[in-house]
Amino acid sequence: MPTPVVMPQMGESIAEGTIVRWMKKVGDQVERDEPLFEITTDKVDAEIPAPAAGVLTEITVKEGETVAVNSVVGTIAQPGEAPTPEPQRPAAVPTRPAAVPTTAAPTPRPAPPAPSSSGEERRRLKSSPLVRRIAQQNNVDISALAGSGIGGRVTKHDILAHLNRDPGSGVRDPKTNLRAVPEPHPAERETTEPGTAEPGTLEPRPPGTPIPDPGSRFEVHPLSPMRKKIAEHMVLSRRTSAHVHSVFHVNFSHVERLRREKKDEYADLGAKLTYLAFIAKAVIDAIRRHPVINASLDGDNVVYKKDVNLGIAVALEAGLIVPVIKNADEKNLLGLARAIGDVADRARAKQLKPEDVHGGTFTITNPGQFGSQFGLPIINQPQVAILAVGTIEKRPVVVDDAIAIRTMAYLTLGYDHRLIDGAVADQFMVDVKTHIEEFDPNQV
């Protein structure tokens, strides 16, 4: 019997996914658990394995198309097996009314939902938890919005576009401390429809984007699905949290010696002992003393997380992804080194599972690996803090009134000032700094 291939649900709040690439074509033989197609969602890029062995007899969702989870995207059958005919479905509602004789009565509209269904139920049908949280924080009635998602679902793009169009969105909300982007001038909104730009012109662009000189050479490329998701998350975070940053200069000389002494021993145990493992251990120990760093905001409530689920930002060719090390507070330095290497390798190989990108409580990002001195990171919602690691290198510093060479780095904490005060953030960073500079050799 033919096996349907469906769009998986890559996380509890994920309602849809986009097919990025089919690795097989119709007629190809596939093995069970062999990578079949690649998807991107709000949470993760992943290669989806074949649910059964056989021949790929049908592809119903093409590359670049977005469909709801559990939708059939293809079919696998045994050689010579006839595909099962699809069950008859009700005719789709046309986008435009069909022509009818002038004497015919207008087609009645479907009856509205029964009054017995609550507004909350209707909102759940039209939006994800993330969208509902944005709506709650900005006092927006989701039921009044026209959704562009599957089945009329209100997407993040819909609600952010609504907030940007709202003439009153430039006023700061006293409860949420939010300020929306002012509505662009009408002249800036006048653009051609996608795909209709004439040669030498640009497709529609955000308001205020400069138009290249007509005589200049340029190319226009659409954003990748991952890049779109990253853009949405970053804009959402800036709108949600009151970002503040604290930068500390940290001496890694002691950690460098420990790492040099132990790296071969760790390699024999299947782990790469990096500076990031030491930093992760210091962060976890500091969180135990400052639990608000590991919390989140839910309306007027503070949710204190009992477990430290540590997100590690991993740079990919097409963007950035943050796999999560669950219960990181239960791991020693060796366990953290192994876990960091594992999630990074699987992220680059697109082998992450839904649970690998869900439930993070604190994030570490490491732009210093590319030479950055320090950065001012954007908080990974719904978390309230994120740590950026600058490049770790030898620098001249003052030690006992003399110039000395030490292995140094800047660590930057980005935090949500709605919940975390500067004093608390700096106390947390002092603990991180002290733990690194005086790292206990017995923990290595």
Side-chain angles (χ1 to χ4, degrees):
M1 180 176 180
T3 302
V5 180
V6 301
M7 174 65 70
Q9 184 166 16
M10 304 295 286
E12 63 181 6
S13 63
I14 300 300
E16 60 190 19
T18 302
I19 301 285
V20 176
R21 176 169 62 102
W22 280 96
M23 300 173 185
K24 298 288 184 179
K25 61 181 182 294
V26 172
D28 284 354
Q29 181 75 33
V30 297
E31 299 296 331
R32 182 180 176 85
D33 295 329
E34 179 183 9
L36 183 59
F37 61 99
E38 181 182 336
I39 69 168
T40 184
T41 71
D42 287 3
K43 298 285 187 181
V44 64
D45 276 14
E47 293 179 351
I48 306 304
V55 176
L56 182 62
T57 58
E58 184 181 25
I59 292 177
T60 56
V61 178
K62 299 178 181 179
E63 294 178 356
E65 293 185 1
T66 300
V67 295
V69 299
N70 298 323
S71 297
V72 176
V73 299
T75 304
I76 294 175
Q78 298 304 313
E81 185 177 28
T84 302
E86 293 188 9
Q88 187 173 0
R89 299 179 182 177
V93 179
T95 55
R96 295 184 179 179
V100 295
T102 56
T103 58
T107 303
R109 294 178 178 270
S116 58
S117 63
S118 66
E120 177 63 19
E121 290 172 339
R122 292 195 298 273
R123 284 194 295 271
R124 287 186 182 279
L125 290 174
K126 296 178 65 177
S127 64
S128 68
L130 176 61
V131 172
R132 293 197 298 275
R133 185 167 64 249
I134 302 173
Q136 181 184 25
Q137 292 170 342
N138 291 275
N139 299 320
V140 175
D141 181 8
I142 294 182
S143 63
L145 301 183
S148 63
I150 302 298
R153 188 177 67 86
V154 176
T155 66
K156 286 186 297 184
H157 174 78
D158 296 329
I159 194 165
L160 292 178
H162 169 78
L163 291 172
N164 287 338
R165 289 195 303 266
D166 184 0
S169 61
V171 180
R172 188 180 297 276
D173 188 314
K175 291 184 178 180
T176 62
N177 198 34
L178 299 176
R179 190 195 304 273
V181 179
E183 184 180 12
H185 189 276
E188 296 177 326
R189 294 197 302 265
E190 294 178 0
T191 58
T192 58
E193 295 183 359
T196 62
E198 297 179 0
T201 64
L202 286 173
E203 293 286 347
R205 61 191 64 80
T209 303
I211 301 176
D213 187 326
S216 65
R217 295 164 57 86
F218 61 90
E219 294 182 354
V220 179
H221 297 277
L223 288 175
S224 67
M226 173 179 275
R227 197 73 255 166
K228 289 180 181 178
K229 301 300 182 185
I230 292 174
E232 291 174 359
H233 281 300
M234 295 301 96
V235 172
L236 166 65
S237 184
R238 278 295 192 185
R239 292 180 60 90
T240 301
S241 296
H243 281 69
V244 184
H245 296 86
S246 292
V247 183
F248 276 65
H249 206 194
V250 180
N251 188 342
F252 278 81
S253 299
H254 176 54
V255 163
E256 181 188 26
R257 287 192 294 271
L258 293 175
R259 178 174 171 268
R260 190 168 55 244
E261 293 170 1
K262 295 289 186 176
K263 65 179 182 179
D264 291 339
E265 179 181 333
Y266 272 58
D268 292 339
L269 297 173
K272 185 176 181 180
L273 186 57
T274 63
Y275 289 114
L276 195 56
F278 288 94
I279 295 168
K281 188 72 174 79
V283 164
I284 291 167
D285 289 348
I287 283 176
R288 291 193 178 102
R289 298 187 59 187
H290 308 279
V292 71
I293 302 293
N294 199 53
S296 65
L297 276 172
D298 183 10
D300 294 332
N301 299 317
V302 182
V303 181
Y304 290 91
K305 310 296 177 62
K306 298 297 184 181
D307 302 317
V308 179
N309 296 332
L310 193 62
I312 302 294
V314 178
L316 305 177
E317 183 177 351
L320 189 74
I321 197 166
V322 186
V324 177
I325 300 173
K326 298 295 179 63
N327 303 114
D329 51 320
E330 298 178 1
K331 300 182 184 296
N332 58 16
L333 187 66
L334 175 60
L336 287 171
R338 283 174 171 164
I340 291 171
D342 173 62
V343 296
D345 290 343
R346 287 194 291 120
R348 296 186 181 103
K350 298 182 179 179
Q351 297 296 322
L352 293 175
K353 300 176 182 178
E355 58 269 23
D356 293 328
V357 292
H358 177 72
T361 59
F362 184 92
T363 296
I364 299 176
T365 181
N366 184 22
Q369 63 183 309
F370 304 112
S372 172
Q373 291 293 305
F374 65 89
L376 304 178
I378 297 176
I379 297 167
N380 187 16
Q381 297 295 325
Q383 299 166 27
V384 293
I386 181 172
L387 184 77
V389 181
T391 188
I392 301 174
E393 62 184 3
K394 292 185 180 297
R395 296 176 189 151
V397 294
V398 177
V399 179
D400 297 329
D401 294 332
I403 301 297
I405 302 299
R406 295 291 185 269
T407 301
M408 307 292 294
Y410 291 105
L411 300 184
T412 303
L413 182 72
Y415 57 96
D416 191 339
H417 210 342
R418 297 178 304 164
L419 180 61
I420 302 172
D421 290 329
V424 175
D426 287 352
Q427 289 164 9
F428 169 79
M429 287 300 292
V430 167
D431 284 348
V432 172
K433 174 183 170 73
T434 301
H435 195 109
I436 291 173
E437 294 182 345
E438 302 174 8
F439 204 93
D440 184 358
N442 294 323
Q443 292 186 340
V444 182

